[in-house]
Amino acid sequence: MTTALDATATPFSTLIREASHQQHTEAETSPFMSEMLDGRLGVAAFRQYTEQLWFVYRALEGVADRLAGDPVAGPFVRPELFRTAALERDLDHLHGGGDWRATLKPLPATERYAARVLRVARDWPGGYVAHHYTRYLGDLSGGQVIRGTAEKTWGFTRKGDGVRFYVFDHIANPAAYKREYRARLDAIPVAAPEKLRIVDECRHAFALNSAVFRDLDEASR
Ligand code: HEM
């Protein structure tokens, strides 16, 4: 268990990474992720996954303006990370044009996930940071593995339509960017008990992602 003492002595970026390590492994090796990425589920599963991400990032980014001036969440709100526009281009491609917005519905777990993001964005900036970290630092890391696999498996143009979500055009050096991001985490202006709450919310964010994978898994069968 992570204690207030750990939260004082350990850099926050280390604390949050270590606290979510186990859940990261679970998400990475979940049946949906594994079967999607080894091609067993077909491109329809990738499309459905991308659709669910669209709901999540609309929640994360729809509140960005409001949080930009907040002392805790504000330093994380950066336009170079925004993914909604890229997801929309991917979805245009994956749907072969057409008005996908008119019919698209979130899966139940996605609805719960987006609702949680909106709730913390309204009431608790630290909680928003937990969700921000869980998605964007992941996209800058393992997201690159997913992109490579998707390009190979389904023949998308390298860094092109279909996988633009994984391409950060305005981040020249993702490894350096991740270091800066971790420095921002380490500088977060909150006390140890609040850091522990944020870590717990990060675990919650991972659990919400895993629940989306389970819904996607069911929907794919
Ligand atoms: C097949 C799926 C996945 C793969 C292959 C993968 C792979 C990776 C790798 C290799 C890293 C380490 C990068 C580094 O040390 O710089 C990483 C980091 C990360 N991943 Fe994933 N990941 C996957 C799924 C996910 C999911 C579903 C989430 C959460 C929604 C996630 C969130 C994160 C986060 C937050 C980090 C940053 C950890 C840190 O350094 O603080 N990943 N991932």
Side-chain angles (χ1 to χ4, degrees):
M1 200 186 115
T2 318
T3 65
L5 194 64
D6 298 327
T8 310
T10 314
F12 185 51
S13 61
T14 308
L15 201 67
I16 197 164
R17 183 180 63 230
E18 288 181 355
S20 54
H21 180 78
Q22 164 87 27
Q23 278 175 297
H24 182 272
T25 307
E26 281 165 25
E28 207 181 336
T29 55
S30 66
F32 178 77
M33 263 293 154
S34 315
E35 292 178 26
M36 178 179 76
L37 292 177
D38 70 15
R40 261 181 286 172
L41 295 180
V43 72
F46 183 73
R47 188 188 67 227
Q48 279 171 331
Y49 173 54
T50 308
E51 290 169 358
Q52 302 312 304
L53 290 176
W54 182 66
F55 290 105
V56 173
Y57 283 83
R58 279 214 311 176
L60 281 166
E61 292 168 12
V63 295
D65 272 358
R66 198 152 26 92
L67 285 169
D70 181 85
V72 172
F76 295 90
V77 174
R78 305 287 273 252
E80 67 271 19
L81 289 171
F82 289 172
R83 302 287 80 209
T84 304
L87 281 165
E88 293 183 349
R89 284 187 71 177
D90 288 339
L91 287 170
D92 282 341
H93 178 74
L94 291 163
H95 283 270
D99 189 9
W100 50 266
R101 283 179 190 77
T103 49
L104 206 59
K105 281 210 182 80
L107 290 164
T110 308
E111 212 163 4
R112 289 196 297 277
Y113 186 0
R116 180 67 190 166
V117 170
L118 294 178
R119 169 114 200 251
V120 295
R122 200 187 57 211
D123 301 340
W124 177 31
Y128 180 80
V129 172
H131 286 275
H132 194 280
Y133 162 81
T134 305
R135 283 300 340 171
Y136 294 104
L137 214 60
D139 300 332
L140 286 163
S141 311
Q144 301 313 303
V145 181
I146 298 177
R147 175 177 62 78
T149 310
E151 287 166 358
K152 232 178 354 198
T153 310
W154 298 297
F156 299 119
T157 305
R158 186 169 181 273
K159 298 192 173 184
D161 286 341
V163 290
R164 290 191 190 275
F165 168 72
Y166 303 93
V167 182
F168 290 84
D169 283 327
H170 302 291
I171 298 178
N173 182 342
Y177 193 91
K178 282 196 305 193
R179 278 195 297 276
E180 286 163 27
Y181 191 102
R182 290 192 184 107
R184 270 180 260 153
L185 286 172
D186 292 342
I188 196 167
V190 303
E194 172 67 356
K195 286 183 183 164
L196 294 181
R197 279 183 75 212
I198 297 174
V199 163
D200 270 349
E201 186 65 23
C202 174
R203 292 199 189 98
H204 189 189
F206 268 94
L208 289 164
N209 276 279
S210 289
V212 172
F213 293 163
R214 279 195 298 276
D215 272 10
L216 280 163
D217 190 43
E218 261 172 47
S220 71
R221 280 165 212 285

